[in-house]
């Protein structure tokens, strides 16, 4: 590509000169201050997130984002998920599935081979952290590569989960990107931090079971959660927060005060003990009194509905992964996660129903 002079405009209106296909966001950051370059996680080029070491292609409106920004945090945790994926491949010899950033960190869904002999457990956390720390110390660069769909299918032919994602997400005759860090090459649109050394503090937090694409009809997978920060003090503060929150965990308090407990025979549903039942009944009486004082009439709607109702209300498209569904006589039904659609159906189909109605129960997935 021909090199041409370009103008880089920063959010405050100031400008910097550069060269197309040569100057990078990191170059601009270093030109402003070394501390800014050190804090830099990701850039935004003309409104699009951009790797900090990827050359600019023309005149640019440039934003330089650190961990304190939402987008910076998301990219930081996305890059950390790749480090976790690398550690998982080395430790378990597994097939990787999805590894996204989430609200408080990141996770990776993996398929553990039968020869490993068991599911993921807390005994795996330390080995995974050791492998992640090794990758971080090596400062493995995140390398962006663009490949055709055909090349991707050949590259990931050993991993049926990646093959499914490629066939589902990448149109025929087109291409997309992969990112490499150390021995890991993963299907990913990016962008990422410059190298694994930008990740200062890394920890594995918990694990659980999951399903591929969140569908119970698909393969059962293992999900491993992690968290990372650019400062070890931030990690210490986060762990302290979690310790304090654990002391206030309702499951712990419920048992200690003999109010309620949970059991695997009905996950997510409380078994109320006598003290808890008295509180429950008192709260229900209070709610009913408030309904009456405000002119509401109480109604009771079914707990299970045909999914067509949830599709009509919009719940199915947005919350189906957290709803209990089952097939009855070749029709799909789901337990209600909220009352409104049922109450609306009651109101539409029974004209004497007063305008102010209220119901009291709903059912959602565990957690």
């Amino acid at each position: 590509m021909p090199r041409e002079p370009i103008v880089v405009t920063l959010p405050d209106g100031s400008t910097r000169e550069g060269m197309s296909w040569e100057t990078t966001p990191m170059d601009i950051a270093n030109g402003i201050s070394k501390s800014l370059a050190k804090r830099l996680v990701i850039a935004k080029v003309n409104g699009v997130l951009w790797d900090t070491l990827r050359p600019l292609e023309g005149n640019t409106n440039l934003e330089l984002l650190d961990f304190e920004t939402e987008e910076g945090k998301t990219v930081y945790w996305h890059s950390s998920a790749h480090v976790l994926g690398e550690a998982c491949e080395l430790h378990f010899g597994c097939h990787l599935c999805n590894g996204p950033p989430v609200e408080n960190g990141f996770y990776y869904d993996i398929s553990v081979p039968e020869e490993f002999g068991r599911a993921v457990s807390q005994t795996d956390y330390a080995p995974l952290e050791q492998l992640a720390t090794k990758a971080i110390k090596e400062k493995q660069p995140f390398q962006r590569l663009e490949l055709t769909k055909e090349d991707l299918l050949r590259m990931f032919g050993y991993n049926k989960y990646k093959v499914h994602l490629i066939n589902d997400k990448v149109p025929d005759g087109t291409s997309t990107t992969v990112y490499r860090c150390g021995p890991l090459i993963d299907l990913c649109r990016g962008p990422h931090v410059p190298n694994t050394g930008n990740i200062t503090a890394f920890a594995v937090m918990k694990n659980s079971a999951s399903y591929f694409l969140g569908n119970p009809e698909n393969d059962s997978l293992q999900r491993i959660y992690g968290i990372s920060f650019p400062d070890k003090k931030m990690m210490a503060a986060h762990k302290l927060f979690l310790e304090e929150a654990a002391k206030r965990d309702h499951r712990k308090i419920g048992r200690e005060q003999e109010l309620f407990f949970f059991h695997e025979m009905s996950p997510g549903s409380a078994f109320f003990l006598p003290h808890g039942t008295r509180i429950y009944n008192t709260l229900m009486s209070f709610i009913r009194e408030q309904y009456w004082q405000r002119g509401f009439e109480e109604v009771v709607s079914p707990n299970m509905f045909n999914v067509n109702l949830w599709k009509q209300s919009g719940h199915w498209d947005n919350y189906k992964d957290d709803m209990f569904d089952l097939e009855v006589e070749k029709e799909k039904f789901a337990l209600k996660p909220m009352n409104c659609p049922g109450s609306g159906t009651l109101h539409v189909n029974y004209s004497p129903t007063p305008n102010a109605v209220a119901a009291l129960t709903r059912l959602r997935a565990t957690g």
Side-chain angles (χ1 to χ4, degrees):
M1 293 292 181
R3 270 56 171 172
E4 297 177 350
I6 60 173
V7 176
V8 178
T9 304
L10 300 172
D12 63 0
S14 64
T15 60
R16 298 291 189 278
E17 294 181 354
M19 192 67 66
S20 64
W21 302 100
E22 184 175 311
T23 301
T24 68
M26 185 62 77
D27 292 331
I28 301 298
N30 272 309
I32 296 172
S33 76
K34 296 298 181 184
S35 62
L36 173 61
K38 186 176 181 179
R39 298 194 314 273
L40 184 60
V41 171
I42 201 66
K44 186 179 275 190
V45 173
N46 296 327
V48 178
L49 290 176
W50 197 271
D51 293 301
T52 60
L53 298 181
R54 182 179 172 186
L56 303 172
E57 299 172 4
N59 291 334
T60 296
N61 290 316
L62 178 65
E63 296 177 60
L64 302 171
L65 308 176
D66 62 16
F67 184 81
E68 296 306 318
T69 66
E70 284 302 314
E71 289 163 310
K73 198 178 273 94
T74 296
V75 169
Y76 194 91
W77 284 338
H78 186 188
S79 299
S80 301
H82 279 241
V83 174
L84 175 60
E86 177 182 331
C88 287
E89 280 194 335
L90 293 171
H91 180 63
F92 298 108
C94 62
H95 285 169
L96 301 180
C97 301
N98 297 317
V102 289
E103 185 177 357
N104 288 302
F106 50 91
Y107 69 77
Y108 225 115
D109 282 344
I110 64 173
S111 176
V112 178
E114 290 185 8
E115 51 266 30
F116 189 75
R118 59 175 176 81
V120 177
S121 72
Q122 290 187 6
T123 61
D124 297 303
Y125 294 5
L128 288 172
E129 289 177 354
Q130 290 170 4
L131 289 167
T133 299
K134 181 176 181 293
I136 290 168
K137 288 181 177 179
E138 291 174 355
K139 298 184 178 180
Q140 301 167 352
F142 279 90
Q143 298 172 303
R144 180 180 183 271
L145 303 169
E146 187 168 330
L147 298 174
T148 65
K149 181 175 183 177
E150 290 72 22
D151 286 340
L152 289 169
L153 289 171
R154 281 194 292 270
M155 176 179 285
F156 291 101
Y158 67 94
N159 185 330
K160 66 179 181 179
Y161 306 105
K162 297 295 185 184
V163 168
H164 178 94
L165 294 173
I166 293 166
N167 283 322
D168 187 51
K169 302 294 184 181
V170 184
D172 292 341
T174 66
S175 61
T176 191
T177 56
V178 297
Y179 275 78
R180 176 183 177 181
C181 63
L184 175 71
I185 298 179
D186 202 6
L187 185 68
C188 179
R189 289 180 294 185
H192 286 285
V193 299
N195 64 68
T196 56
N198 292 93
I199 301 165
T200 302
F202 182 102
V204 175
M205 303 305 294
K206 62 180 180 178
N207 68 279
S208 67
S210 65
Y211 295 104
F212 182 53
L213 303 179
N215 186 343
E217 297 180 359
N218 292 338
D219 287 359
S220 178
L221 304 172
Q222 297 288 298
R223 177 171 294 180
I224 303 175
Y225 291 87
I227 190 74
S228 61
F229 295 98
D231 187 307
K232 291 183 179 180
K233 291 181 180 178
M234 296 174 73
M235 177 66 81
H238 178 73
K239 289 186 173 181
L240 178 60
F241 170 80
L242 293 179
E243 289 174 7
E244 293 300 318
K247 296 175 183 177
R248 300 187 294 273
D249 189 312
H250 66 282
R251 294 165 295 186
K252 178 176 180 289
I253 294 173
R255 278 190 176 277
E256 290 176 347
Q257 298 187 4
E258 298 184 354
L259 301 174
F260 54 81
F261 67 89
F262 295 92
H263 193 278
E264 62 184 10
M265 288 296 108
S266 184
S269 300
F271 288 76
F272 282 94
L273 301 172
H275 293 329
T277 301
R278 281 190 284 273
I279 294 173
Y280 177 90
N281 288 334
T282 300
L283 288 171
M284 294 294 283
S285 297
F286 173 77
I287 291 171
R288 285 192 168 97
E289 289 175 5
Q290 295 302 310
Y291 279 164
W292 298 331
Q293 290 178 19
R294 288 162 171 76
F296 285 86
E297 293 283 345
E298 184 180 347
V299 296
V300 178
S301 62
N303 285 327
M304 184 169 68
F305 291 91
N306 190 294
V307 297
N308 288 328
L309 178 65
W310 305 120
K311 291 177 180 178
Q312 182 181 356
S313 67
H315 289 84
W316 192 250
D317 289 337
N318 293 292
Y319 308 112
K320 64 181 177 182
D321 291 343
D322 293 315
M323 294 172 64
F324 295 101
D325 62 83
L326 62 157
E327 192 170 297
V328 179
E329 297 181 352
K330 298 182 179 180
E331 290 279 345
K332 182 164 281 192
F333 289 76
L335 298 179
K336 63 180 181 182
M338 68 179 302
N339 292 313
C340 299
S343 296
T345 301
L346 188 153
H347 184 78
V348 168
N349 288 275
Y350 185 61
S351 56
T353 304
N355 288 330
V357 298
L360 292 173
T361 59
R362 60 184 183 181
L363 299 163
R364 289 179 178 158
T366 305

